[in-house]
Amino acid sequence: MTQRYLLSSLLMICGFYILTAQKELPFEQIKVQVNTYKNDIRGPYKDIRWFCTDGSVRAPKDPCPENIGPGVQHARYKDEVVALGKAHHIYLGQILAYTTKEEFWDKEADHSRLKQYQLDKYLRTVDNGWINQKGQFYRGAVQVEDEESWGVDFYKWLVSKDEVLEQNYFLIRQSLRDVPHSGDDNISQLMRSQSKVISDAYLPFMDLRVKIHSLPEKSDIQKVIDFKQKNSAKLTSDLNKKLDGLVLTMRDFFAPVDVKKRVDKATLAKTGPLGDKLKNYADFVNPTLPSSMLVSETAALLLDIREGILSEKNPVVRLQLLDISLKLEEILFQNAQKWEPNTVSEQLEKICALGTAVTGAGYLELWEWDQITSTLSQSEKEELSLAELTTILETARGAVEWSAAMVKANYQNIVDAYTGFEPKAYGFIDDRIRGSIALHLGKSVGELGDFIAKESELTNKVMDIPNQSSFRGLNPGYAFGELVVIGGSSEDIEVSSDKIYIFQRSPSDLKPVAGIATVAEGNMVSHVQLLARNLGIPNAALSDENLQSLKKYDGQRVFYAVSNKGNVILKPEAQMTAQERELFAKKERNTDKIEVPIEEIRLDNTSVLNMRNVDASDSGELCGPKAANLGQLKKMFPEQVVEGLVIPFGIFRDHMDQNMPGQNVSYWRFLNEMFAEAEKMRSANVPDPEVENFQLRQLETLRAAIKKMPLKESFLSELETSFIKILGKDLGSIPVFLRSDTNMEDLKDFTGAGLNLTLFNVLDKEKILNGVKEVWASPYTERSFKWRQKYLLNPENVFPSILVIPSVDVDYSGVLITKGINSGNDKDLTVAFSRGAGGAVDGQSAETYTIKHDGGYRLLAPAREIYYNSLPETGGTGKKTASFEQPVLNNKNLEAIRDLATTIRKKLPKETKSDYEGAYDVELGFEDNKLWLFQIRPFVENKKAVSSGYLEYITPKIDGSKSISLSTKLQ
């Protein structure tokens, strides 16, 4: 299971009103505005004015008089541009000199205006000026010298704040590429943009464009020149000019960086705490140095600057150091590809150096590097076992993924917003990643992966695409169906249960599919992952590059399999073996389904229950497993479990006996008649899709009726009394969670995790009462119905109870699995946590560890979520922003989790008189370092997928103890 581990997800929980509901953005209106500005000689601007220091605004020919001091001249925005910013926080054509520092930093909106400025600069390079296609020639609209002067003042103000620089090192450093401050232009981005513009206009240039985007080399300059000569007869004069411009840009990009000149210019930095290191490096660097030495020394200085910049208190020096840092990354980008390792030892050395570099450049946080540096620093050893090398590979691959995730975490929200009205914006993140040193780290890790794959015979077979070692199986299983490759957002995609999907990120409410693979698969213990694992749906992680390579196969029928050890097969239907075809020769039906047990269910109990009075023995009888198990935990851990009340199955069933408006039958009768009619349709050989559509239409009617169902007075009275007696406050004066808790959850072979509704932090009395009905209706949603139809024989016998517990505004929360999912060791623990409430279970990019049974722990992934949920006392959910410079969990938390797992393993089977010997899935959180328990359930895996003869057949037998000399040649 060494290949099966967490890829950092980039699910963004939207944090300010523009992005909380992007559908509310008037995309069509903005699109019209953008197209109008593209053809307007003034672009987004209406006129030019003088802006004087006394606040007065004067006409262009009436400059600010000397007696009030100098002013600045620039354009004013069109009125509709101003209105767009005020109404929707979208700022087009920003002029820095027209903006205050605080407005531009835009802290309350996650620095949206700064990011929009960067995105605007990118769009201008790939789309001939974008909204300023004609306006770029509007003389006087923007004064370069004023913009640069403003930029210097802005950065001196910004980097003087220690906390801001520490928390936003990556963003600030990235912004220096775009915000003018008397520094240099972003030449690497310009080079990629120019090549894209040329290939869009002239398709034969595509191969060269791909090369320049993927891994540019100095020799590519001559290739562009040769291309121009070879195609001269077909090129327009405009294309000839563009090719000449690209050649000039490439020559600038590959021109040697004069570090000594740069250091000499930074006179103040030379006398600061990092002065000696800067001078020594400048004296050391020369053109004769071996590339390996140059890369290693440059990476070390890059990290030194990152670690030491806060010790320098002068903001001017900090700005100089950041500019030097960018130049050092240019040197690394130019020289990393020249370092061609011959042996495993040299490959490990290069990976460690480039890992140092991405940390120094801000793509990894310093604490993250501390967690993995000892694993990556083993190149001087004489030999390592195959298992040890595989651990190094997984760790290095993680560093690549975390680096890409850092870019996505910072920019995905604003890119998604802009993509709604300008599709070209979607290329921004890819452009940033390709312009980073992480690109070279990824290449080196891929080469190590290829070597280890040969040694272990753990080789992926994914169509004919390159860099297949980036694929990693997450859940074993096999599938056959149409391949669907989704490169953009997946939230509005209607999925089909017989198709195989490749996602950037799977939808948050994923319905059943045949198979999935994701670039950002969230975390291994999210509800979607647990359901996929439960149902044996093959699931893998892949890289952005892999997804792009697979696009050409979109729509083809393919066979897809993930083995028990995580190797991946994806092949066209025509290449399937007889054994693989036999897997799908006949459609499996009820033989793989289970029955919801209802023999012991007690529907006669129609009283609200105190959670203290229920325990595990009541699961499936009075209530679902959430309430029963939490009641059990309350007995075992009274100080770590909140009080709670339970609305049992009987109250739901009692209400369902009421007459259903407009149907002349009760709600319950309507439901059962629907299932009976569906069975008649099947007996009459009505096609399954038609039967399913009938059921979904009927369930939609039922669901809407339940939400309007009158609640009985006896129930309302008892609920009011129970709030006071059990929770200590009146109904409507304490915020609570309403958790759906059905009898179809946590069955022996089916988890049902996350299928039904949980309402967060509800305070208002009417919202709580309406919430009861919404939770009752949630098992009849399309998603919930489809998942259980896939697995249950009697889906009509699903009864919801409701667990009502007071909210705990935890600092961070997540999931504990009492098993090492990544390590494959049943004695280890898997922990995934995110900041705020509801952490990890909804698929956020979670901080994930293997806590080892013999002591210590291993970081599998850091959290990369900018926004997280808070639970204010006023009800509802608030949004807070996170930074990544500190881990979510501290050592004290990890030890508390270890102790908790030990107690659960020892006491829970005994307390519940259970013979269950498997792992547990526990939801928990920390508030001021106090551990709170919210749920416990069996951790269910699909035994058929894990034990499948075919999956065992394609799983190579790996000798992890195999010794490999590090002097072994790579090829």
Side-chain angles (χ1 to χ4, degrees):
M1 297 184 63
T2 52
Q3 292 285 320
R4 192 179 307 157
Y5 101 116
L6 178 66
L7 168 64
S8 299
S9 154
L10 279 294
L11 169 66
M12 294 292 132
I13 304 172
C14 302
F16 55 100
Y17 69 94
I18 319 149
L19 300 177
T20 50
Q22 289 177 13
K23 292 179 183 177
E24 295 178 4
L25 275 174
F27 289 137
E28 291 305 316
Q29 172 199 321
I30 302 174
K31 193 179 294 184
V32 170
Q33 283 185 248
V34 167
N35 288 332
T36 300
Y37 301 151
K38 286 181 178 180
N39 296 296
D40 190 322
I41 59 171
R42 295 186 177 184
Y45 312 122
K46 68 175 180 179
D47 55 29
I48 294 172
R49 290 289 185 268
W50 279 99
F51 296 82
C52 305
T53 52
D54 67 347
S56 61
V57 179
R58 306 170 78 95
K61 295 183 179 180
D62 183 21
C64 305
E66 291 183 9
N67 65 327
I68 64 170
V72 293
Q73 187 187 63
H74 55 73
R76 291 192 296 182
Y77 307 118
K78 284 183 168 65
D79 292 344
E80 60 267 29
V81 172
V82 175
L84 182 64
K86 288 181 178 178
H88 299 287
H89 212 82
I90 296 293
Y91 293 88
L92 303 177
Q94 293 184 82
I95 299 171
L96 298 178
Y98 205 0
T99 315
T100 68
K101 300 180 185 70
E102 291 80 7
E103 286 173 339
F104 190 67
W105 184 232
D106 203 10
K107 181 180 178 181
E108 297 305 315
D110 189 36
H111 321 297
S112 172
R113 293 191 64 167
L114 168 60
K115 295 173 184 179
Q116 290 185 59
Y117 183 88
Q118 293 180 267
L119 188 51
D120 179 283
K121 291 283 285 275
Y122 166 76
L123 288 169
R124 293 189 193 203
T125 61
V126 299
D127 193 24
N128 189 29
W130 192 46
I131 55 172
N132 272 294
Q133 280 187 13
K134 293 184 178 179
Q136 59 190 307
F137 307 113
Y138 183 29
R139 186 176 177 184
V142 179
Q143 305 287 347
V144 174
E145 62 275 13
D146 290 336
E147 298 293 278
E148 289 191 347
S149 176
W150 186 96
V152 171
D153 288 342
F154 170 72
Y155 282 115
K156 283 160 61 176
W157 167 78
L158 188 65
V159 303
S160 66
K161 310 171 193 298
D162 287 2
E163 185 179 28
V164 168
L165 184 55
E166 183 180 21
Q167 292 180 350
N168 301 279
Y169 188 85
F170 172 80
L171 177 61
I172 292 171
R173 187 177 177 278
Q174 286 290 313
S175 71
L176 285 162
R177 300 176 184 271
D178 302 300
V179 176
H181 60 286
S182 301
D184 301 300
D185 293 328
N186 191 344
I187 300 175
S188 63
Q189 184 185 85
L190 179 61
M191 177 176 67
R192 293 187 300 279
S193 299
Q194 288 175 326
S195 65
K196 179 182 185 302
V197 168
I198 294 168
S199 68
D200 287 348
Y202 190 60
L203 192 59
F205 191 72
M206 179 60 72
D207 287 344
L208 261 178
R209 172 203 166 179
V210 170
K211 174 62 171 65
I212 292 168
H213 275 234
S214 300
L215 211 63
E217 299 175 272
K218 192 173 182 179
S219 58
D220 293 336
I221 298 173
Q222 188 58 47
K223 291 177 184 176
V224 175
I225 294 171
D226 293 343
F227 179 89
K228 180 186 174 187
Q229 293 174 344
K230 181 180 177 181
N231 294 271
S232 58
K234 301 175 183 178
L235 296 175
T236 64
S237 59
D238 183 56
L239 276 171
N240 273 305
K241 288 179 182 177
K242 284 182 167 58
L243 284 163
D244 289 340
L246 175 60
V247 169
L248 289 174
T249 300
M250 293 178 74
R251 283 175 174 157
D252 281 346
F253 179 75
F254 286 106
V257 177
D258 191 341
V259 179
K260 186 171 180 58
K261 181 179 178 181
R262 172 69 65 171
V263 171
D264 287 341
K265 183 179 177 182
T267 52
L268 291 174
K270 285 167 57 179
T271 62
L274 291 167
D276 288 341
K277 290 181 178 180
L278 292 172
K279 287 183 286 186
N280 291 339
Y281 177 84
D283 293 339
F284 175 77
V285 172
N286 66 74
T288 64
L289 274 179
S291 57
S292 59
M293 190 175 295
L294 179 58
V295 168
S296 296
E297 292 297 323
T298 304
L301 180 59
L302 196 60
L303 183 57
D304 285 338
I305 290 174
R306 170 85 186 274
E307 291 178 327
I309 195 167
L310 291 179
S311 64
E312 175 56 70
K313 298 306 179 185
N314 187 326
V316 175
V317 177
R318 288 182 175 182
L319 182 54
Q320 291 176 349
L321 289 171
L322 287 167
D323 280 331
I324 290 173
S325 172
L326 290 172
K327 283 299 171 187
L328 293 174
E329 189 173 0
E330 286 183 27
I331 293 172
L332 286 164
F333 203 98
Q334 291 175 9
N335 290 279
Q337 59 197 316
K338 298 176 184 176
W339 183 357
E340 298 178 348
N342 293 312
T343 66
V344 178
S345 175
E346 291 171 6
Q347 191 74 31
L348 295 181
E349 183 184 354
K350 182 177 181 181
I351 287 172
C352 187
L354 294 177
T356 303
V358 296
T359 307
Y363 296 90
L364 299 187
E365 294 292 352
L366 294 173
W367 74 268
E368 297 165 6
W369 179 241
D370 288 342
Q371 290 284 326
I372 65 175
T373 183
S374 61
T375 302
L376 298 183
S377 304
Q378 301 189 59
S379 61
E380 294 183 0
K381 293 184 177 180
E382 293 184 2
E383 61 181 36
L384 290 168
S385 70
L386 183 57
E388 289 170 327
L389 264 181
T390 302
T391 298
I392 293 173
L393 173 65
E394 290 179 339
T395 303
R397 187 184 280 144
V400 177
E401 293 164 351
W402 307 349
S403 298
M406 180 68 84
V407 181
K408 294 178 182 179
N410 276 273
Y411 294 108
Q412 191 71 61
N413 277 337
I414 200 63
V415 166
D416 286 346
Y418 266 60
T419 301
F421 57 84
E422 178 48 80
K424 289 184 174 69
Y426 208 80
F428 175 80
I429 289 176
D430 181 69
D431 183 82
R432 285 281 152 165
I433 294 171
R434 291 185 181 280
S436 75
I437 194 59
L439 182 73
H440 291 285
L441 176 60
K443 180 176 182 294
S444 297
V445 171
E447 290 166 353
L448 178 64
D450 292 340
F451 173 81
I452 292 176
K454 282 192 301 181
E455 292 293 328
S456 62
E457 299 181 5
L458 187 66
T459 305
N460 297 319
K461 298 175 182 176
V462 182
M463 308 304 269
D464 61 352
I465 69 170
N467 299 319
Q468 297 193 13
S469 64
S470 297
F471 271 85
R472 300 176 321 289
L474 299 166
N475 300 328
Y478 51 80
F480 171 63
E482 180 185 337
L483 182 67
V484 182
V485 183
I486 311 293
S489 172
S490 60
E491 288 303 321
D492 296 325
I493 300 297
E494 186 63 34
V495 300
S496 174
S497 62
D498 59 355
K499 295 181 181 180
I500 296 161
Y501 291 86
I502 311 292
F503 293 115
Q504 273 286 344
R505 182 192 161 274
S506 61
S508 55
D509 61 345
L510 181 67
K511 299 180 181 74
V513 296
I516 54 175
T518 48
V519 173
E521 92 280 9
N523 66 78
M524 61 176 67
V525 295
S526 69
H527 283 149
V528 168
Q529 293 291 6
L530 291 178
L531 283 166
R533 195 177 186 89
N534 184 187
L535 298 183
I537 294 172
N539 186 8
L542 71 162
S543 69
D544 280 295
E545 181 184 1
N546 295 150
L547 183 145
Q548 299 303 323
S549 299
L550 286 171
K551 278 186 175 179
K552 62 182 177 182
Y553 300 109
D554 182 58
Q556 294 189 18
R557 289 174 65 79
V558 299
F559 173 75
Y560 173 42
V562 176
S563 84
N564 302 330
K565 292 290 185 182
N567 53 308
V568 178
I569 294 173
L570 184 68
K571 63 168 86 170
E573 179 181 9
Q575 295 179 15
M576 290 174 67
T577 66
Q579 181 186 14
E580 289 161 353
R581 292 182 186 278
E582 183 63 26
L583 296 172
F584 305 93
K586 56 184 178 179
K587 190 172 182 181
E588 297 171 353
R589 262 200 177 273
N590 293 353
T591 54
D592 292 318
K593 293 189 176 184
I594 60 174
E595 192 165 8
V596 182
I598 57 170
E599 297 81 11
E600 305 297 326
I601 197 166
R602 292 176 52 192
L603 300 177
D604 58 324
N605 190 319
T606 57
S607 298
V608 177
L609 305 173
N610 187 328
M611 192 183 74
R612 285 177 175 262
N613 296 330
V614 300
D615 58 28
S617 65
D618 296 308
S619 180
E621 296 183 17
L622 291 174
C623 58
K626 287 190 184 81
N629 291 340
L630 197 60
Q632 185 71 57
L633 289 177
K634 182 68 176 175
K635 290 180 171 66
M636 296 170 60
F637 306 96
E639 299 303 315
Q640 292 173 298
V641 177
V642 295
E643 301 293 341
L645 55 93
V646 182
I647 302 173
F649 299 139
I651 293 178
F652 162 75
R653 182 66 179 81
D654 183 41
H655 279 76
M656 290 289 282
D657 280 338
Q658 298 178 100
N659 288 329
M660 183 173 168
Q663 298 295 329
N664 295 320
V665 293
S666 70
Y667 298 90
W668 188 251
R669 183 75 177 270
F670 179 87
L671 174 67
N672 281 273
E673 286 181 353
M674 179 272 289
F675 280 107
E677 180 62 26
E679 200 54 46
K680 287 181 184 177
M681 294 171 73
R682 291 191 188 95
S683 300
N685 295 319
V686 175
D688 282 349
E690 190 174 330
V691 177
E692 184 178 88
N693 284 335
F694 162 74
Q695 289 180 291
L696 291 175
R697 290 196 304 271
Q698 293 294 92
L699 289 176
E700 185 176 0
T701 300
L702 177 64
R703 197 166 64 248
I706 291 174
K707 289 180 179 180
K708 297 178 181 178
M709 174 191 285
L711 296 176
K712 293 187 173 183
E713 286 300 325
S714 57
F715 167 60
L716 292 174
S717 175
E718 192 175 5
L719 191 62
E720 296 249 17
T721 302
S722 296
F723 258 75
I724 297 171
K725 185 177 178 181
I726 299 170
L727 302 185
K729 290 189 177 181
D730 291 332
L731 174 64
S733 63
I734 178 174
V736 294
F737 275 45
L738 301 174
R739 305 197 67 174
S740 173
D741 191 20
T742 71
N743 62 329
M744 76 167 184
E745 298 173 38
D746 301 346
L747 304 176
K748 184 177 180 182
D749 295 304
F750 182 68
T751 173
L755 288 184
N756 303 310
L757 185 66
T758 288
L759 292 176
F760 274 52
N761 207 44
V762 187
L763 177 63
D764 181 77
K765 178 178 178 179
E766 285 305 310
K767 287 182 179 179
I768 291 174
L769 298 179
N770 287 330
V772 168
K773 293 181 283 187
E774 288 178 33
V775 172
W776 280 346
S778 68
Y780 307 116
T781 61
E782 179 182 354
R783 176 174 182 257
S784 180
F785 177 73
K786 282 185 173 181
W787 276 106
R788 68 177 191 264
Q789 279 289 101
K790 192 176 181 73
Y791 224 71
L792 302 183
L793 279 168
N794 55 338
E796 69 277 12
N797 285 321
V798 171
F799 293 88
S801 63
I802 303 177
L803 173 62
V804 182
I805 55 175
S807 303
V808 181
D809 191 16
V810 291
D811 302 311
Y812 32 91
S813 56
V815 176
L816 156 69
I817 307 293
T818 59
K819 169 180 180 171
I821 298 177
N822 175 263
S823 67
N825 191 320
D826 289 346
K827 295 181 180 179
D828 291 344
L829 307 174
T830 302
V831 176
F833 264 73
S834 299
R835 293 170 178 86
V841 295
D842 288 329
Q844 300 101 324
S845 167
E847 184 174 295
T848 307
Y849 297 91
T850 294
I851 300 180
K852 300 177 182 179
H853 69 284
D854 55 358
Y857 58 88
R858 177 184 171 199
L859 175 69
L860 300 180
R864 285 285 189 268
E865 295 291 346
I866 290 288
Y867 298 106
Y868 63 92
N869 291 320
S870 65
L871 304 175
E873 293 181 358
T874 52
T877 56
K879 294 293 181 183
K880 293 184 177 180
T881 55
S883 53
F884 309 135
E885 79 283 358
Q886 295 293 332
V888 176
L889 293 170
N890 57 46
N891 288 332
K892 182 179 178 182
N893 301 150
L894 290 167
E895 287 307 311
I897 291 170
R898 186 194 297 276
D899 292 342
L900 171 69
T902 300
T903 305
I904 287 174
R905 283 168 165 165
K906 288 180 179 178
K907 292 180 64 176
L908 194 59
K910 190 181 300 182
E911 295 277 345
T912 58
K913 299 179 176 59
S914 168
D915 59 357
Y916 178 71
E917 296 179 352
Y920 292 97
D921 166 3
V922 186
E923 292 181 22
L924 63 163
F926 286 92
E927 181 188 32
D928 294 330
N929 286 317
K930 178 182 177 179
L931 191 154
W932 287 96
L933 288 167
F934 301 123
Q935 182 171 317
I936 188 168
R937 54 158 50 111
F939 177 63
V940 182
E941 297 188 88
N942 184 275
K943 296 180 177 62
K944 180 184 174 188
V946 173
S947 61
S948 161
Y950 173 76
L951 295 180
E952 191 62 31
Y953 167 73
I954 65 172
T955 301
K957 304 298 182 286
I958 301 172
D959 180 8
S961 63
K962 177 182 177 181
S963 180
I964 296 177
S965 169
L966 298 195
S967 61
T968 304
K969 299 290 185 183
L970 289 170
Q971 295 181 343

